[in-house]
Amino acid sequence: MTTTPDLRPDPGFEQLLCSVLPRLAGAGPLDPALDLKEAGLDSMATIELLVRLEDTYDVEFPEETLTAATFATPAALWGVLNAQRAVAH
């Protein structure tokens, strides 16, 4: 049996994003295409988000995934995170 990655983020992912980007809190469901940079994701917030994602999901983002494209939108970030979860488990 093959497992396919979950394309929809889990609630913890959304909460984590909102905790790092307070502008998103209380804004309702997260738009998968939201521009995270416009939502306040600067270099310091990116590092905080990366560390919290790695700790929460027990994964490590390889250096080649640490690009602007990975952190561009919630959907892009979830896709990379999910790929790392599949590798880790």
Side-chain angles (χ1 to χ4, degrees), residues 4-89:
T4 57
D6 188 1
L7 300 177
R8 288 182 314 215
D10 64 42
F13 175 78
E14 200 166 302
Q15 289 173 342
L16 202 149
L17 269 179
C18 290
S19 71
V20 173
L21 300 170
R23 288 188 218 170
L24 300 179
L30 214 55
D31 177 357
L34 174 75
D35 184 321
L36 291 177
K37 192 172 184 178
E38 285 184 14
L41 189 67
D42 59 15
S43 58
M44 292 301 291
T46 300
I47 292 167
E48 181 181 349
L49 181 58
L50 175 65
V51 169
R52 291 175 76 178
L53 287 169
E54 287 182 336
D55 288 348
T56 300
Y57 291 95
D58 194 27
V59 297
E60 188 173 321
F61 282 74
E63 192 171 329
E64 63 269 13
T65 65
L66 303 180
T67 65
T70 295
F71 293 91
T73 66
L77 184 55
W78 179 252
V80 173
L81 174 63
N82 238 358
Q84 297 316 307
R85 290 171 69 194
V87 169
H89 299 285

